[in-house]
Amino acid sequence: MYQTNYHRPSSVQEAVKLIGGAAEGKYLAGGMTLIATMKQRLAAPSDLVDLRHIAELKGITVNGRSVRIGAATTHHDVASSAELEAVCPAICALASHIGDPHVRHMGTIGGSIANNDPAADYPAAMLALDATIVTNSRQIAAADFFTGLFETALDDGEIITAITFDAPAKAAYQKFPNPASRYAMAGVFVARRDNGEVRVAVTGAGSNGVFRHQGMEAALAGNWSPDAVGNISVDASDLLTDLHASAAYRAKLIKVMTKRAVAAA
Amino acid sequence: MAKITMTVNGRQVSGTCDDRTLLVHFIRENLGLTGTHVGCETSQCGACVIHMDGLSVKSCSILAVQAAGSSITTIEGLAKDGELHPVQAAFKAHHGLQCGFCTPGMVMTAVDMIARHGSNLDEATVRAELEGNICRCTGYHNIVKAILAAAGEMGGVRQAAE
Ligand SMILES: Cc1cc2nc3c(=O)[nH]c(=O)nc-3n(C[C@H](O)[C@H](O)[C@H](O)COP(=O)(O)OP(=O)(O)OC[C@H]3O[C@@H](n4cnc5c(N)ncnc54)[C@H](O)[C@@H]3O)c2cc1C
Ligand code: FES
Ligand code: FES
């Protein structure tokens, strides 16, 4: 790892100012991705601005069905929130299957979505839940936020402060984890609203990152049951092929994960 | 360079290190507490697991400066007055180790697991929660047995290590 300078602000304002004054600064949340990247010398920030000690970035608020999760809230805190469990158990279950307990004690929702790993779990939830990504300067719809592999709509120095969404009537997430890394080879988050609208978001499989599958959404809006997607074909041409699975195999996994998710919701 | 202070196994300690120094190296080299091991240094194996402010973390994936001001427990902090911690005793009784390299991380993971789940701990949960800890020797069966036995012995009472 190259040399770096560590800073510990106690407010968002101070954090933004510190990044602004740094040659090549980076925010540090749980560090579960960033520290590893720095060890490999794939990142060499001149300055690290730690977000773990900023109270306004932490915590979960549930008001009726409206949910706000602070960006620096850990996977562990999402997984074990009774308030969240009462309105949207799917996101708690998702968080409880990220990595291992030690990773969940450090890793944060803000770090996960800012990183936008094509195999990360939270991006699928954000798209399917029609979440809003709140930053220090604006609000971004999830649909506009995830722009490609490890790419987001965030500007330099922009900081995610929270994510918000309205809890759907039903939701579930199912992933087929890579047996070694536990990252999704295909993960599907389904959500159904009271008005019958359905969203199906897929992670781990798209060659351009997380995406929605309109064909399955239409089928499930007509008939909310695992059988409804039986005749839908998933186009493999935009899916990833790698060491772990071919695009055709991932296309099959997406259908199976969707069926399982609908059955579990 | 940073001058940092933290509480380790109940004692306040200070030291100077680079901002880029990993917590595990600070613990092993600055503090001389070599019970915490480094197996992979890439957050896969769990040999470096310690508790920071009461929760298990991989000390190879955290900078020492990030831990400044926190309360740390390492494997050296578990035994009290020469008596093994119930989890350590259970690993011994159930042959939960062979070479012992993974053991400090396994024990710290087990203590955290028991603290969070208490009497709800069952075999499936133990196996799922060992996701981040690798053992090359035992085949895990005796580790799982030891953790369940310790959880039983501790009466499922929420007991923090700190
Ligand atoms: C062993 C292991 C297994 C894992 N398994 C999974 C898995 O199964 N599924 C999964 O989804 N993930 C997995 N992860 C990744 C994990 O979820 C990380 O927590 C996450 O990717 C990054 O979150 P972090 O808080 O650690 O961010 P950091 O590593 O601190 O930061 C990541 C990036 O986001 C930026 N950033 C952080 N917070 C903000 C913010 N508030 N605003 C703007 N930018 C910000 C940082 O500058 C950096 O570029 C795994 C990680 C490990 C080490
Ligand atoms: S040394 Fe930290 S996880 Fe392997
Ligand atoms: S006892 Fe040897 S690695 Fe676990």
Side-chain angles (χ1 to χ4, degrees):
Chain A
M1 195 186 299
Y2 291 110
Q3 292 285 7
T4 188
N5 295 298
Y6 172 84
H7 308 271
R8 187 182 286 187
S10 52
S11 71
V12 169
Q13 204 185 359
E14 195 188 342
V16 172
K17 205 167 148 216
L18 281 164
I19 282 281
E24 273 202 50
K26 260 198 177 295
Y27 294 121
L28 174 65
M32 292 296 103
T33 296
L34 183 53
I35 300 289
T37 319
M38 289 172 65
K39 286 185 198 169
Q40 293 168 300
R41 296 190 166 180
L42 295 172
S46 62
D47 295 80
L48 287 175
V49 177
D50 192 348
L51 305 180
R52 284 181 66 242
H53 301 269
I54 301 179
E56 62 192 293
L57 290 181
K58 292 197 189 179
I60 297 167
T61 328
V62 179
N63 203 334
R65 300 199 65 78
S66 131
V67 174
R68 180 186 185 281
I69 306 176
T73 307
T74 63
H75 307 330
H76 170 70
D77 285 344
V78 171
S80 55
S81 162
E83 266 187 300
L84 201 48
E85 179 81 30
V87 294
C88 190
I91 197 162
C92 304
L94 175 150
S96 77
H97 286 96
I98 296 175
D100 57 53
H102 328 303
V103 169
R104 294 195 287 273
H105 285 151
M106 290 299 291
T108 67
I109 188 167
S112 176
I113 61 177
N115 194 48
N116 193 18
D117 185 310
D121 299 308
Y122 271 128
M126 297 299 100
L127 267 194
L129 293 170
D130 197 13
T132 301
I133 318 300
V134 185
T135 78
N136 59 312
S137 56
R138 57 185 169 145
Q139 306 210 342
I140 310 170
D144 303 322
F145 183 83
F146 302 106
T147 53
L149 301 181
F150 298 101
E151 295 286 338
T152 68
L154 288 175
D155 291 330
D156 277 352
E158 191 171 3
I159 177 168
I160 303 171
T161 53
I163 65 104
T164 61
F165 64 88
D166 286 329
K170 283 177 181 296
Y173 178 67
Q174 290 286 315
K175 79 166 155 178
F176 190 88
N178 175 295
S181 75
R182 296 281 153 188
Y183 272 95
M185 274 160 65
V188 177
F189 199 108
V190 299
R192 184 173 191 271
R193 299 274 159 196
D194 281 324
N195 66 8
E197 191 206 331
V198 172
R199 285 188 171 220
V200 176
V202 181
T203 191
S207 50
N208 209 23
V210 64
F211 66 92
R212 280 171 63 189
H213 198 285
Q214 269 83 12
M216 295 209 274
E217 290 181 354
L220 288 167
N223 172 17
W224 179 255
S225 88
D227 298 336
V229 299
N231 294 323
I232 306 287
S233 73
V234 176
D235 183 4
S237 57
D238 284 334
L239 299 185
L240 282 170
T241 288
D242 60 20
L243 172 70
H244 309 297
S246 66
Y249 184 65
R250 281 193 162 89
K252 294 257 192 301
L253 281 182
I254 291 171
K255 244 170 100 163
V256 176
M257 291 307 113
T258 306
K259 286 184 180 176
R260 286 187 189 169
V262 173
Chain B
M1 287 297 241
K3 182 160 175 3
I4 56 176
T5 301
M6 59 184 87
T7 305
V8 177
N9 300 330
R11 278 185 35 234
Q12 191 165 331
V13 298
S14 301
T16 309
C17 64
D18 274 352
D19 287 16
R20 64 178 167 177
T21 302
L22 297 175
L23 178 57
V24 69
H25 293 141
F26 184 79
I27 290 172
R28 288 176 56 85
E29 286 154 34
N30 292 51
L31 304 180
L33 296 170
T34 52
T36 302
H37 291 169
V38 182
C40 64
E41 217 186 84
T42 56
S43 63
Q44 307 301 317
C45 76
C48 65
V49 169
I50 57 149
H51 297 179
M52 180 162 84
D53 294 329
L55 293 173
S56 64
V57 295
K58 288 174 165 171
S59 61
C60 75
S61 301
I62 298 173
L63 301 175
V65 284
Q66 281 177 280
S70 70
S71 174
I72 301 285
T73 304
T74 68
I75 189 74
E76 289 90 344
L78 289 188
K80 291 276 178 300
D81 306 323
E83 282 262 337
L84 292 181
H85 183 280
V87 173
Q88 292 174 305
F91 268 66
K92 186 178 172 198
H94 295 270
H95 303 286
L97 63 148
Q98 287 177 27
C99 79
F101 193 84
C102 71
T103 313
M106 288 287 181
V107 169
M108 296 311 287
T109 298
V111 173
D112 170 82
M113 203 189 290
I114 294 169
R116 281 184 293 108
H117 292 280
S119 53
N120 296 327
L121 204 55
D122 56 21
E123 179 176 343
T125 310
V126 172
R127 289 187 182 273
E129 293 244 341
L130 287 178
E131 177 62 41
N133 295 74
I134 294 174
C135 176
R136 292 290 280 162
C137 303
T138 63
Y140 302 97
H141 289 306
N142 288 352
I143 292 176
V144 175
K145 262 191 222 159
I147 296 174
L148 288 170
E153 181 155 327
M154 289 160 75
V157 183
R158 278 188 78 88
Q159 175 175 340
E162 283 67 30

